[in-house]
Each structure stands twice: as structure tokens, then as C-alpha cells.
Amino acid sequence: EGFNIIDQHALHEIILYHEIKQRITQSKLISQQLLIPELVELSPKDFFTMLNLKEGLERLGMAIEEFGQNTIIIRKLPQILKDLDCKEFVNNLLNEIGDNEVAGDTNVVFEKLIKIMACKGAVKAGQKMTIEEIESLLQRRKDFSITSNCPHGRPTSLSFSIRELESMFKRR
């Protein structure tokens, strides 16, 4: 009938986004203590921004604490994001969330936190995946009805019918 091209990052991102939201509403977002806590050194402004986000991050299963001047220590991560690069996550979070937002609507900030966690926790574009990982991702896609676009709006897959392909190659 045709074929589909799947953006593995976008698909994994929307699946993680829905899984995180679902687990939060069911109070089943399990945290995992880090064997080696991550230290993240920040500018004074970013340090205080992260401290202001502490409660929202705790709701998402991430435990941060002050660790000296302008440094935070990350002690826990949500288990669903076990491979998250903590420093990259913190930098992206600070780039995405402005000072006004931290002081503003907590629901908007919380939603952004979920989106960023899903994005940074997702498999990267072009990253090699095993057959089992691919099958798992495709199976998990079936668990959620809204997976046509990632949280940033990018499509998770493109479909081409035989008729469209024939038309593109001027066979019809």
C-alpha cells in the first residue's frame, strides 16, 4: 500500500510526553536515586532560577539541592528518563524558561518542564536502535491516540501511498 518514514526522536518524545503526564496524574512517576549525583555549576541568575523551579522538578521526580555557591546537585531523576544528560537538560531548561515565566503561571512552567524532559529523554535522531527498541517504540505508539506530532509540532511520521509514489516518479 505504501510506506511510512518515522522520526524516531519525535515519536519517542511524544510517547515520553504522554507517559510522563499519565504517570503524574496517576501519581506513579517513580524516581531513581543517582549512584553518582550530578553537579551543575551555574551563573548566579541561573542558580536562583533553578532553585525557583525546585518544587516543579520534584513533582516530576527530579531532586535538586543547593551545593555551595551557584552550584546545584541533582540527586534523583524520574526512572522513565534514566538516560537523561542532566547538564544538557538544565542548560536547555534555562534557555527555554524565562525569568518572567518562573514567577508566573506554574501550570505553564510545569507543562514546559514536561516537554523539555520528554525531548531530552528521547532517543536522538540518527541514533542506532536495536530491533527490540524499535519494536518497543512502535508498540508504545499504539498506547496513545495522539502521536501524529511531537510536543514541538513536528510530525512523527510521513506516509506515502503507492499512488503518491507513482505520481512523484511520473508513472501515472
Side-chain angles (χ1 to χ4, degrees):
E1 295 176 20
F3 69 93
N4 291 325
I5 299 173
I6 296 174
D7 180 330
Q8 65 190 29
H9 173 75
L11 180 58
H12 194 207
E13 182 179 350
I14 192 65
I15 290 169
L16 284 176
Y17 172 80
H18 285 296
E19 285 178 348
I20 292 168
K21 284 193 88 155
Q22 184 180 61
R23 289 180 185 185
I24 288 170
T25 57
Q26 297 172 346
S27 299
K28 293 182 180 176
L29 195 62
I30 299 167
S31 289
Q32 179 173 312
Q33 189 84 24
L34 296 178
L35 209 50
I36 302 170
E38 286 271 348
L39 291 173
V40 182
E41 208 168 311
L42 302 164
S43 70
K45 178 179 160 265
D46 289 345
F47 175 73
F48 288 109
T49 299
M50 286 302 294
L51 292 181
N52 286 330
L53 293 171
K54 183 177 179 176
E55 189 177 309
L57 291 168
E58 283 174 358
R59 282 180 60 197
L60 290 168
M62 186 173 190
I64 68 166
E65 298 171 11
E66 286 183 61
F67 192 81
Q69 191 173 4
N70 301 326
T71 302
I72 60 167
I73 187 166
I74 301 171
R75 296 195 181 274
K76 285 184 183 178
L77 287 179
Q79 191 175 24
I80 195 171
L81 301 174
K82 63 185 180 303
D83 298 324
L84 185 72
D85 179 324
C86 295
K87 289 178 184 174
E88 180 185 4
F89 169 73
V90 168
N91 288 328
N92 281 287
L93 179 62
L94 291 166
N95 288 334
E96 288 270 333
I97 294 182
D99 297 333
N100 297 336
E101 288 181 276
V102 173
D105 185 353
T106 55
N107 289 330
V108 171
V109 172
F110 193 65
E111 185 68 22
K112 277 196 171 189
L113 287 173
I114 295 170
K115 287 180 180 179
I116 295 166
M117 279 190 153
C119 181
K120 296 305 159 196
V123 65
K124 305 300 176 231
Q127 182 178 331
K128 297 264 188 233
M129 295 177 70
T130 66
I131 296 295
E132 293 79 17
E133 289 170 327
I134 294 168
E135 288 173 350
S136 171
L137 195 59
L138 294 174
Q139 185 58 43
R140 287 164 60 199
R141 172 175 66 171
K142 294 177 184 175
D143 296 339
F144 301 101
S145 57
I146 308 170
T147 57
S148 58
N149 292 334
C150 78
H152 299 104
R154 289 187 296 271
T156 58
S157 66
L158 299 173
S159 299
F160 297 92
S161 69
I162 294 293
R163 179 162 287 197
E164 288 172 307
L165 291 169
E166 288 174 340
S167 175
M168 287 178 199
F169 285 104
K170 305 202 184 308
R171 299 282 180 203
R172 279 194 172 249

